Amino acid sequence: DAGVIQSPRHEVTEMGQEVTLRCKPISGHDYLFWYRQTMMRGLELLIYFNNNVPIDDSGMPEDRFSAKMPNASFSTLKIQPSEPRDSAVYFCASTNNLLGDSYNEQFFGPGTRLTVL
Amino acid sequence: GQSLEQPSEVTAVEGAIVQINCTYQTSGFYGLSWYQQHDGGAPTFLSYNGLDGLEETGRFSSFLSRSDSYGYLLLQELQMKDSASYFCAVRAVWNSGNTPLVFGKGTRLSVIA
């Protein structure tokens, strides 16, 4: 299996621009998570999906952030407009079996390092 | 709210044993996990404790005491490649009623010769 795939790996943009991050989860996984990692705040959950349906988006910082999962093999996280404080590494992770122990084992993608100037 | 406390940095000598502690204060509890992250890399799952006691996986062991809201990760026979950040994570109940993972801030382990 190729693992969780994210693109782009690096993104540099200017304040006010729209940014779209992409994720392909591991085939067969029915949970998908978007995290943001910064030195100050650590690893924060932004939103997660189960069977393509958003379950909890209470971690999304503000309305500038939105996420979609149109099918089981693709998800996007969009920031519009972007601001310098959005600079971080954004990780996508997937897993399955919410009620079982394996839910705790999440498989992370390589991340997208976003820099907003 | 949810809070997980772990030391920010630990330094240990190659070949030695190191213990990384994690205390948590959460609404609800559904297990403690540990993840490893090398610089520039992604977090990778190491272990999970759903019940009290010790779980061993090779050189790594993880312990949980639910009554003390405490756990630790034990790394034995340290190798230079173990230099990384280690995160504890708890499945806890959010205000929404859902139970995703909440991560600690991480402990940066430096293994020296």
Side-chain angles (χ1 to χ4, degrees):
Chain A
D1 200 322
V4 176
I5 299 171
Q6 291 186 247
S7 65
R9 294 293 306 276
H10 301 273
E11 176 82 25
V12 179
T13 191
E14 293 189 345
M15 182 175 64
Q17 297 298 306
E18 176 181 300
V19 175
T20 299
L21 311 181
R22 298 172 175 79
C23 175
K24 176 179 169 57
I26 292 173
S27 177
H29 283 185
D30 52 359
Y31 283 87
L32 183 141
F33 306 84
W34 282 102
Y35 291 91
R36 177 173 69 177
Q37 187 174 38
T38 61
M39 289 295 293
M40 289 295 295
R41 301 177 67 90
L43 194 61
E44 304 173 278
L45 177 66
L46 301 177
I47 184 172
Y48 73 100
F49 296 82
N50 177 218
N51 291 323
N52 314 337
V53 176
I55 301 301
D56 197 315
D57 66 354
S58 55
M60 297 285 257
E62 40 195 284
D63 292 345
R64 298 183 297 105
F65 286 69
S66 63
K68 295 181 179 180
M69 192 166 185
N71 57 63
S73 58
F74 183 67
S75 177
T76 60
L77 178 68
K78 182 178 294 186
I79 308 173
Q80 158 115 38
S82 57
E83 296 183 3
R85 59 189 167 134
D86 301 331
S87 297
V89 180
Y90 290 81
F91 288 103
C92 174
S94 70
T95 192
N96 55 23
N97 191 6
L98 171 65
L99 297 179
D101 289 353
S102 63
Y103 175 82
N104 293 278
E105 182 175 1
Q106 297 184 8
F107 296 82
F108 283 73
T112 295
R113 182 173 295 275
L114 173 64
T115 303
V116 183
L117 303 174
Chain B
Q2 325 285 3
S3 71
L4 288 85
E5 297 292 330
Q6 51 181 131
S8 59
E9 294 183 356
V10 172
T11 300
V13 178
E14 189 177 18
I17 299 173
V18 71
Q19 179 174 312
I20 300 174
N21 299 320
C22 175
T23 57
Y24 58 88
Q25 188 170 7
T26 60
S27 301
F29 178 79
Y30 297 90
L32 178 69
S33 302
W34 289 92
Y35 282 75
Q36 178 192 60
Q37 184 180 29
H38 286 98
D39 285 348
T44 57
F45 175 81
L46 287 177
S47 68
Y48 167 75
N49 293 73
L51 300 174
D52 291 352
L54 191 68
E55 295 284 341
E56 298 180 71
T57 308
R59 294 186 298 114
F60 294 2
S61 302
S62 57
F63 172 82
L64 173 64
S65 170
R66 287 174 297 172
S67 61
D68 295 322
S69 297
Y70 164 76
Y72 66 72
L73 179 69
L74 192 73
L75 295 83
Q76 303 183 72
E77 301 173 17
L78 281 172
Q79 302 176 10
M80 301 300 286
K81 67 178 182 179
D82 297 329
S83 293
S85 292
Y86 293 84
F87 297 85
C88 59
V90 171
R91 262 192 78 190
V93 180
W94 280 23
N95 291 335
S96 60
N98 294 306
T99 58
L101 283 181
V102 177
F103 284 82
K105 290 289 180 66
T107 298
R108 187 174 183 86
L109 171 65
S110 298
V111 180
I112 60 176

